[in-house]
Every structure is written in C-alpha cells, then in structure tokens.
C-alpha cells in the first residue's frame, strides 16, 4: 500500500499550488481520502476530505473558499488545489486514506508528506 504525495514547493503569498496523491496497492475508489498538514512545532491537523461515490467534500474553516479537493478514481489520484496561499499555510502536507469519511486525523493509510512553503 502506498500513497505518494507530490507537488509541494515554494510560493509567494497569494499564489497557488496543486498537490497530487497517487494511490497504489489498494482500491482507492472504496476509500475516503484526506489531506492533512503539520507545521513546524504544531500538531497535525486535517485540511479536508473527499468521500467515495458522490465525492462529497469537507474542509477545515481555515481553508474554506481557498482549497479544493478532487479525485480521479480512474487514475487513483486525488488532488488538492490550493489558492490564495498564506504564510500560515506553510507545512508538510500529507494524504491519507480510510474507509470512513472525514475521520479527523485518524486515517488508516498514510503517505509521505510534501513540503509547502509560503513566503515572500
């Protein structure tokens, strides 16, 4: 089982990035996929989650209106489109999978992180 996150990098405030998460070793379409992040010195927090089936989404208040999660089950890939990035969005971003929708930070499968740095 593997979740491979990519697409992180450095961007100026107000900029955009799109993260990708490619799943392998399990059937992704049966799993809700979440994005989480951990900033230096802080606890890991949930950014948002996308369900199976109708691809319902749920977002943390601090990213609502700026971040969008989507999925392409044919490609076993989930995306996190991040717009209007702020310095406080700087963190390592992780994707994770669970058969439950929106399980907070308690996901069953985890990927490695990808670093996002927002700085002028």
């Amino acid at each position: 089982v593997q979740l491979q996150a990519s697409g992180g990098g450095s961007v100026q405030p107000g900029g955009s990035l799109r993260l990708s998460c490619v799943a392998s070793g399990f059937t992704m379409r049966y799993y809700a996929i979440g994005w989480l992040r951990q900033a230096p010195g802080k606890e890991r927090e949930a950014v948002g989650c996308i369900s199976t089936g109708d691809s319902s989404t749920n977002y943390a208040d601090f990213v609502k209106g700026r971040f969008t999660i989507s999925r392409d089950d044919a490609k076993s890939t989930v995306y996190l489109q991040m717009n209007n990035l702020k310095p406080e969005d700087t963190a390592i971003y992780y994707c994770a999978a669970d058969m439950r929708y929106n399980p907070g930070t308690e996901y069953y499968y985890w990927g490695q992180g990808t670093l996002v740095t927002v700085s002028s």
Side-chain angles (χ1 to χ4, degrees), residues 33-63:
I33 305 295
W35 286 96
L36 303 96
R37 71 185 188 185
Q38 188 165 20
K42 294 187 177 181
E43 294 188 352
R44 190 173 297 180
E45 59 186 0
V47 172
C49 183
I50 187 165
S51 72
T52 60
D54 66 357
S55 295
S56 297
T57 52
N58 180 276
Y59 300 97
D61 286 343
F62 53 79
V63 302

PDB file of all heavy atoms in Angstrom, residues 33-63:
ATOM      1  N   ILE A  33     -10.450   9.938   1.003  1.00  0.00           N
ATOM      2  CA  ILE A  33      -9.070  10.423   1.011  1.00  0.00           C
ATOM      3  C   ILE A  33      -9.033  11.795   1.681  1.00  0.00           C
ATOM      4  O   ILE A  33      -9.832  12.677   1.360  1.00  0.00           O
ATOM      5  CB  ILE A  33      -8.499  10.549  -0.419  1.00  0.00           C
ATOM      6  CG1 ILE A  33      -8.619   9.220  -1.166  1.00  0.00           C
ATOM      7  CG2 ILE A  33      -7.049  11.027  -0.362  1.00  0.00           C
ATOM      8  CD1 ILE A  33      -7.801   8.080  -0.586  1.00  0.00           C
ATOM      9  N   GLY A  34      -8.118  11.929   2.573  1.00  0.00           N
ATOM     10  CA  GLY A  34      -7.968  13.199   3.279  1.00  0.00           C
ATOM     11  C   GLY A  34      -6.626  13.835   3.014  1.00  0.00           C
ATOM     12  O   GLY A  34      -5.651  13.160   2.663  1.00  0.00           O
ATOM     13  N   TRP A  35      -6.605  15.126   3.165  1.00  0.00           N
ATOM     14  CA  TRP A  35      -5.349  15.885   3.190  1.00  0.00           C
ATOM     15  C   TRP A  35      -5.195  16.461   4.594  1.00  0.00           C
ATOM     16  O   TRP A  35      -6.150  17.005   5.164  1.00  0.00           O
ATOM     17  CB  TRP A  35      -5.359  17.014   2.171  1.00  0.00           C
ATOM     18  CG  TRP A  35      -5.192  16.556   0.759  1.00  0.00           C
ATOM     19  CD1 TRP A  35      -6.185  16.312  -0.154  1.00  0.00           C
ATOM     20  CD2 TRP A  35      -3.962  16.277   0.084  1.00  0.00           C
ATOM     21  NE1 TRP A  35      -5.642  15.900  -1.340  1.00  0.00           N
ATOM     22  CE2 TRP A  35      -4.275  15.872  -1.227  1.00  0.00           C
ATOM     23  CE3 TRP A  35      -2.618  16.323   0.461  1.00  0.00           C
ATOM     24  CZ2 TRP A  35      -3.297  15.520  -2.164  1.00  0.00           C
ATOM     25  CZ3 TRP A  35      -1.644  15.978  -0.467  1.00  0.00           C
ATOM     26  CH2 TRP A  35      -1.986  15.581  -1.758  1.00  0.00           C
ATOM     27  N   LEU A  36      -4.011  16.337   5.116  1.00  0.00           N
ATOM     28  CA  LEU A  36      -3.690  16.844   6.442  1.00  0.00           C
ATOM     29  C   LEU A  36      -2.376  17.591   6.343  1.00  0.00           C
ATOM     30  O   LEU A  36      -1.643  17.448   5.355  1.00  0.00           O
ATOM     31  CB  LEU A  36      -3.592  15.696   7.447  1.00  0.00           C
ATOM     32  CG  LEU A  36      -4.862  14.830   7.544  1.00  0.00           C
ATOM     33  CD1 LEU A  36      -4.745  13.586   6.655  1.00  0.00           C
ATOM     34  CD2 LEU A  36      -5.138  14.437   8.977  1.00  0.00           C
ATOM     35  N   ARG A  37      -2.077  18.383   7.351  1.00  0.00           N
ATOM     36  CA  ARG A  37      -0.821  19.118   7.323  1.00  0.00           C
ATOM     37  C   ARG A  37      -0.257  19.246   8.723  1.00  0.00           C
ATOM     38  O   ARG A  37      -0.984  19.168   9.721  1.00  0.00           O
ATOM     39  CB  ARG A  37      -1.022  20.490   6.694  1.00  0.00           C
ATOM     40  CG  ARG A  37      -1.815  21.467   7.541  1.00  0.00           C
ATOM     41  CD  ARG A  37      -2.069  22.756   6.769  1.00  0.00           C
ATOM     42  NE  ARG A  37      -2.666  23.805   7.602  1.00  0.00           N
ATOM     43  CZ  ARG A  37      -3.060  24.980   7.140  1.00  0.00           C
ATOM     44  NH1 ARG A  37      -2.930  25.281   5.841  1.00  0.00           N
ATOM     45  NH2 ARG A  37      -3.574  25.867   7.975  1.00  0.00           N
ATOM     46  N   GLN A  38       1.040  19.451   8.770  1.00  0.00           N
ATOM     47  CA  GLN A  38       1.723  19.658  10.037  1.00  0.00           C
ATOM     48  C   GLN A  38       2.767  20.745   9.861  1.00  0.00           C
ATOM     49  O   GLN A  38       3.715  20.579   9.075  1.00  0.00           O
ATOM     50  CB  GLN A  38       2.368  18.373  10.547  1.00  0.00           C
ATOM     51  CG  GLN A  38       2.928  18.498  11.949  1.00  0.00           C
ATOM     52  CD  GLN A  38       3.225  17.155  12.582  1.00  0.00           C
ATOM     53  OE1 GLN A  38       3.369  16.144  11.887  1.00  0.00           O
ATOM     54  NE2 GLN A  38       3.311  17.139  13.895  1.00  0.00           N
ATOM     55  N   ALA A  39       2.572  21.826  10.570  1.00  0.00           N
ATOM     56  CA  ALA A  39       3.517  22.931  10.546  1.00  0.00           C
ATOM     57  C   ALA A  39       4.574  22.702  11.626  1.00  0.00           C
ATOM     58  O   ALA A  39       4.332  21.974  12.595  1.00  0.00           O
ATOM     59  CB  ALA A  39       2.788  24.237  10.784  1.00  0.00           C
ATOM     60  N   PRO A  40       5.731  23.314  11.470  1.00  0.00           N
ATOM     61  CA  PRO A  40       6.797  23.143  12.475  1.00  0.00           C
ATOM     62  C   PRO A  40       6.310  23.520  13.870  1.00  0.00           C
ATOM     63  O   PRO A  40       5.721  24.580  14.075  1.00  0.00           O
ATOM     64  CB  PRO A  40       7.878  24.113  11.995  1.00  0.00           C
ATOM     65  CG  PRO A  40       7.650  24.240  10.532  1.00  0.00           C
ATOM     66  CD  PRO A  40       6.163  24.163  10.353  1.00  0.00           C
ATOM     67  N   GLY A  41       6.511  22.617  14.800  1.00  0.00           N
ATOM     68  CA  GLY A  41       6.144  22.873  16.177  1.00  0.00           C
ATOM     69  C   GLY A  41       4.675  22.766  16.494  1.00  0.00           C
ATOM     70  O   GLY A  41       4.250  23.079  17.617  1.00  0.00           O
ATOM     71  N   LYS A  42       3.894  22.334  15.512  1.00  0.00           N
ATOM     72  CA  LYS A  42       2.446  22.227  15.733  1.00  0.00           C
ATOM     73  C   LYS A  42       1.980  20.796  15.502  1.00  0.00           C
ATOM     74  O   LYS A  42       2.664  19.987  14.884  1.00  0.00           O
ATOM     75  CB  LYS A  42       1.700  23.181  14.799  1.00  0.00           C
ATOM     76  CG  LYS A  42       1.973  24.653  15.087  1.00  0.00           C
ATOM     77  CD  LYS A  42       1.079  25.540  14.247  1.00  0.00           C
ATOM     78  CE  LYS A  42       1.290  27.011  14.577  1.00  0.00           C
ATOM     79  NZ  LYS A  42       0.402  27.896  13.783  1.00  0.00           N
ATOM     80  N   GLU A  43       0.797  20.519  15.999  1.00  0.00           N
ATOM     81  CA  GLU A  43       0.226  19.202  15.787  1.00  0.00           C
ATOM     82  C   GLU A  43      -0.335  19.081  14.369  1.00  0.00           C
ATOM     83  O   GLU A  43      -0.675  20.064  13.725  1.00  0.00           O
ATOM     84  CB  GLU A  43      -0.890  18.945  16.807  1.00  0.00           C
ATOM     85  CG  GLU A  43      -0.395  18.860  18.243  1.00  0.00           C
ATOM     86  CD  GLU A  43      -1.483  18.425  19.193  1.00  0.00           C
ATOM     87  OE1 GLU A  43      -2.656  18.336  18.780  1.00  0.00           O
ATOM     88  OE2 GLU A  43      -1.165  18.173  20.369  1.00  0.00           O
ATOM     89  N   ARG A  44      -0.430  17.847  13.928  1.00  0.00           N
ATOM     90  CA  ARG A  44      -1.022  17.582  12.623  1.00  0.00           C
ATOM     91  C   ARG A  44      -2.501  17.948  12.658  1.00  0.00           C
ATOM     92  O   ARG A  44      -3.185  17.689  13.655  1.00  0.00           O
ATOM     93  CB  ARG A  44      -0.841  16.116  12.267  1.00  0.00           C
ATOM     94  CG  ARG A  44      -1.193  15.768  10.842  1.00  0.00           C
ATOM     95  CD  ARG A  44      -0.812  14.333  10.531  1.00  0.00           C
ATOM     96  NE  ARG A  44       0.624  14.116  10.627  1.00  0.00           N
ATOM     97  CZ  ARG A  44       1.227  12.952  10.401  1.00  0.00           C
ATOM     98  NH1 ARG A  44       0.490  11.901  10.065  1.00  0.00           N
ATOM     99  NH2 ARG A  44       2.520  12.832  10.506  1.00  0.00           N
ATOM    100  N   GLU A  45      -2.978  18.557  11.581  1.00  0.00           N
ATOM    101  CA  GLU A  45      -4.381  18.947  11.516  1.00  0.00           C
ATOM    102  C   GLU A  45      -4.983  18.556  10.178  1.00  0.00           C
ATOM    103  O   GLU A  45      -4.293  18.492   9.162  1.00  0.00           O
ATOM    104  CB  GLU A  45      -4.529  20.463  11.736  1.00  0.00           C
ATOM    105  CG  GLU A  45      -3.798  21.337  10.753  1.00  0.00           C
ATOM    106  CD  GLU A  45      -3.858  22.813  11.098  1.00  0.00           C
ATOM    107  OE1 GLU A  45      -4.475  23.192  12.107  1.00  0.00           O
ATOM    108  OE2 GLU A  45      -3.261  23.611  10.329  1.00  0.00           O
ATOM    109  N   ALA A  46      -6.272  18.299  10.206  1.00  0.00           N
ATOM    110  CA  ALA A  46      -6.976  17.927   8.984  1.00  0.00           C
ATOM    111  C   ALA A  46      -7.269  19.172   8.157  1.00  0.00           C
ATOM    112  O   ALA A  46      -7.730  20.182   8.680  1.00  0.00           O
ATOM    113  CB  ALA A  46      -8.268  17.204   9.322  1.00  0.00           C
ATOM    114  N   VAL A  47      -7.010  19.067   6.867  1.00  0.00           N
ATOM    115  CA  VAL A  47      -7.292  20.147   5.926  1.00  0.00           C
ATOM    116  C   VAL A  47      -8.649  19.912   5.270  1.00  0.00           C
ATOM    117  O   VAL A  47      -9.467  20.818   5.155  1.00  0.00           O
ATOM    118  CB  VAL A  47      -6.191  20.230   4.864  1.00  0.00           C
ATOM    119  CG1 VAL A  47      -6.573  21.209   3.761  1.00  0.00           C
ATOM    120  CG2 VAL A  47      -4.859  20.603   5.500  1.00  0.00           C
ATOM    121  N   GLY A  48      -8.885  18.686   4.842  1.00  0.00           N
ATOM    122  CA  GLY A  48     -10.147  18.360   4.207  1.00  0.00           C
ATOM    123  C   GLY A  48     -10.180  16.913   3.800  1.00  0.00           C
ATOM    124  O   GLY A  48      -9.179  16.202   3.890  1.00  0.00           O
ATOM    125  N   CYS A  49     -11.339  16.501   3.327  1.00  0.00           N
ATOM    126  CA  CYS A  49     -11.540  15.096   2.983  1.00  0.00           C
ATOM    127  C   CYS A  49     -12.527  15.005   1.817  1.00  0.00           C
ATOM    128  O   CYS A  49     -13.415  15.859   1.693  1.00  0.00           O
ATOM    129  CB  CYS A  49     -12.087  14.350   4.192  1.00  0.00           C
ATOM    130  SG  CYS A  49     -12.308  12.582   3.962  1.00  0.00           S
ATOM    131  N   ILE A  50     -12.356  13.968   0.993  1.00  0.00           N
ATOM    132  CA  ILE A  50     -13.288  13.722  -0.094  1.00  0.00           C
ATOM    133  C   ILE A  50     -13.802  12.300   0.035  1.00  0.00           C
ATOM    134  O   ILE A  50     -13.038  11.364   0.288  1.00  0.00           O
ATOM    135  CB  ILE A  50     -12.627  13.979  -1.470  1.00  0.00           C
ATOM    136  CG1 ILE A  50     -13.668  13.885  -2.588  1.00  0.00           C
ATOM    137  CG2 ILE A  50     -11.436  13.054  -1.713  1.00  0.00           C
ATOM    138  CD1 ILE A  50     -13.181  14.482  -3.909  1.00  0.00           C
ATOM    139  N   SER A  51     -15.092  12.148  -0.144  1.00  0.00           N
ATOM    140  CA  SER A  51     -15.720  10.851   0.055  1.00  0.00           C
ATOM    141  C   SER A  51     -15.618   9.985  -1.196  1.00  0.00           C
ATOM    142  O   SER A  51     -15.218  10.439  -2.273  1.00  0.00           O
ATOM    143  CB  SER A  51     -17.196  11.057   0.406  1.00  0.00           C
ATOM    144  OG  SER A  51     -17.923  11.486  -0.732  1.00  0.00           O
ATOM    145  N   THR A  52     -16.025   8.740  -1.053  1.00  0.00           N
ATOM    146  CA  THR A  52     -16.234   7.882  -2.205  1.00  0.00           C
ATOM    147  C   THR A  52     -17.585   8.240  -2.827  1.00  0.00           C
ATOM    148  O   THR A  52     -18.320   9.083  -2.303  1.00  0.00           O
ATOM    149  CB  THR A  52     -16.252   6.417  -1.776  1.00  0.00           C
ATOM    150  OG1 THR A  52     -17.328   6.227  -0.823  1.00  0.00           O
ATOM    151  CG2 THR A  52     -14.939   6.011  -1.112  1.00  0.00           C
ATOM    152  N   GLY A  53     -17.890   7.587  -3.953  1.00  0.00           N
ATOM    153  CA  GLY A  53     -19.213   7.782  -4.549  1.00  0.00           C
ATOM    154  C   GLY A  53     -19.422   9.169  -5.126  1.00  0.00           C
ATOM    155  O   GLY A  53     -18.890   9.523  -6.172  1.00  0.00           O
ATOM    156  N   ASP A  54     -20.167  10.006  -4.422  1.00  0.00           N
ATOM    157  CA  ASP A  54     -20.505  11.330  -4.950  1.00  0.00           C
ATOM    158  C   ASP A  54     -19.414  12.375  -4.728  1.00  0.00           C
ATOM    159  O   ASP A  54     -19.599  13.550  -5.051  1.00  0.00           O
ATOM    160  CB  ASP A  54     -21.825  11.823  -4.373  1.00  0.00           C
ATOM    161  CG  ASP A  54     -21.755  12.082  -2.868  1.00  0.00           C
ATOM    162  OD1 ASP A  54     -20.684  11.829  -2.265  1.00  0.00           O
ATOM    163  OD2 ASP A  54     -22.770  12.511  -2.292  1.00  0.00           O
ATOM    164  N   SER A  55     -18.276  11.970  -4.180  1.00  0.00           N
ATOM    165  CA  SER A  55     -17.133  12.879  -3.957  1.00  0.00           C
ATOM    166  C   SER A  55     -17.530  14.106  -3.133  1.00  0.00           C
ATOM    167  O   SER A  55     -17.113  15.235  -3.421  1.00  0.00           O
ATOM    168  CB  SER A  55     -16.522  13.313  -5.294  1.00  0.00           C
ATOM    169  OG  SER A  55     -15.962  12.197  -5.961  1.00  0.00           O
ATOM    170  N   SER A  56     -18.310  13.887  -2.113  1.00  0.00           N
ATOM    171  CA  SER A  56     -18.590  14.976  -1.177  1.00  0.00           C
ATOM    172  C   SER A  56     -17.297  15.418  -0.524  1.00  0.00           C
ATOM    173  O   SER A  56     -16.379  14.614  -0.327  1.00  0.00           O
ATOM    174  CB  SER A  56     -19.564  14.509  -0.094  1.00  0.00           C
ATOM    175  OG  SER A  56     -20.796  14.146  -0.648  1.00  0.00           O
ATOM    176  N   THR A  57     -17.234  16.691  -0.199  1.00  0.00           N
ATOM    177  CA  THR A  57     -16.028  17.218   0.429  1.00  0.00           C
ATOM    178  C   THR A  57     -16.353  17.950   1.725  1.00  0.00           C
ATOM    179  O   THR A  57     -17.463  18.440   1.925  1.00  0.00           O
ATOM    180  CB  THR A  57     -15.284  18.183  -0.512  1.00  0.00           C
ATOM    181  OG1 THR A  57     -16.201  19.181  -0.985  1.00  0.00           O
ATOM    182  CG2 THR A  57     -14.682  17.444  -1.684  1.00  0.00           C
ATOM    183  N   ASN A  58     -15.351  17.991   2.557  1.00  0.00           N
ATOM    184  CA  ASN A  58     -15.450  18.696   3.832  1.00  0.00           C
ATOM    185  C   ASN A  58     -14.117  19.380   4.054  1.00  0.00           C
ATOM    186  O   ASN A  58     -13.066  18.771   3.809  1.00  0.00           O
ATOM    187  CB  ASN A  58     -15.759  17.707   4.949  1.00  0.00           C
ATOM    188  CG  ASN A  58     -15.875  18.383   6.302  1.00  0.00           C
ATOM    189  OD1 ASN A  58     -14.881  18.625   6.967  1.00  0.00           O
ATOM    190  ND2 ASN A  58     -17.093  18.699   6.696  1.00  0.00           N
ATOM    191  N   TYR A  59     -14.161  20.635   4.500  1.00  0.00           N
ATOM    192  CA  TYR A  59     -12.933  21.402   4.671  1.00  0.00           C
ATOM    193  C   TYR A  59     -12.856  22.032   6.052  1.00  0.00           C
ATOM    194  O   TYR A  59     -13.874  22.399   6.650  1.00  0.00           O
ATOM    195  CB  TYR A  59     -12.860  22.523   3.630  1.00  0.00           C
ATOM    196  CG  TYR A  59     -12.864  22.041   2.207  1.00  0.00           C
ATOM    197  CD1 TYR A  59     -14.036  22.005   1.467  1.00  0.00           C
ATOM    198  CD2 TYR A  59     -11.688  21.589   1.600  1.00  0.00           C
ATOM    199  CE1 TYR A  59     -14.056  21.547   0.168  1.00  0.00           C
ATOM    200  CE2 TYR A  59     -11.686  21.133   0.294  1.00  0.00           C
ATOM    201  CZ  TYR A  59     -12.874  21.112  -0.412  1.00  0.00           C
ATOM    202  OH  TYR A  59     -12.869  20.653  -1.711  1.00  0.00           O
ATOM    203  N   ALA A  60     -11.632  22.177   6.516  1.00  0.00           N
ATOM    204  CA  ALA A  60     -11.410  22.941   7.731  1.00  0.00           C
ATOM    205  C   ALA A  60     -11.737  24.408   7.449  1.00  0.00           C
ATOM    206  O   ALA A  60     -11.559  24.897   6.329  1.00  0.00           O
ATOM    207  CB  ALA A  60      -9.966  22.809   8.182  1.00  0.00           C
ATOM    208  N   ASP A  61     -12.195  25.103   8.467  1.00  0.00           N
ATOM    209  CA  ASP A  61     -12.595  26.503   8.286  1.00  0.00           C
ATOM    210  C   ASP A  61     -11.457  27.357   7.737  1.00  0.00           C
ATOM    211  O   ASP A  61     -11.687  28.286   6.959  1.00  0.00           O
ATOM    212  CB  ASP A  61     -13.084  27.088   9.619  1.00  0.00           C
ATOM    213  CG  ASP A  61     -14.454  26.565  10.009  1.00  0.00           C
ATOM    214  OD1 ASP A  61     -15.156  26.020   9.135  1.00  0.00           O
ATOM    215  OD2 ASP A  61     -14.823  26.714  11.193  1.00  0.00           O
ATOM    216  N   PHE A  62     -10.237  27.039   8.118  1.00  0.00           N
ATOM    217  CA  PHE A  62      -9.121  27.889   7.730  1.00  0.00           C
ATOM    218  C   PHE A  62      -8.736  27.764   6.257  1.00  0.00           C
ATOM    219  O   PHE A  62      -7.894  28.518   5.767  1.00  0.00           O
ATOM    220  CB  PHE A  62      -7.900  27.665   8.635  1.00  0.00           C
ATOM    221  CG  PHE A  62      -7.451  26.240   8.767  1.00  0.00           C
ATOM    222  CD1 PHE A  62      -6.706  25.628   7.778  1.00  0.00           C
ATOM    223  CD2 PHE A  62      -7.778  25.511   9.896  1.00  0.00           C
ATOM    224  CE1 PHE A  62      -6.295  24.310   7.911  1.00  0.00           C
ATOM    225  CE2 PHE A  62      -7.365  24.190  10.048  1.00  0.00           C
ATOM    226  CZ  PHE A  62      -6.622  23.585   9.042  1.00  0.00           C
ATOM    227  N   VAL A  63      -9.338  26.820   5.518  1.00  0.00           N
ATOM    228  CA  VAL A  63      -9.051  26.702   4.092  1.00  0.00           C
ATOM    229  C   VAL A  63     -10.298  26.839   3.224  1.00  0.00           C
ATOM    230  O   VAL A  63     -10.197  26.847   1.991  1.00  0.00           O
ATOM    231  CB  VAL A  63      -8.336  25.390   3.733  1.00  0.00           C
ATOM    232  CG1 VAL A  63      -7.034  25.262   4.513  1.00  0.00           C
ATOM    233  CG2 VAL A  63      -9.242  24.186   3.949  1.00  0.00           C
TER     234      VAL A  63
END
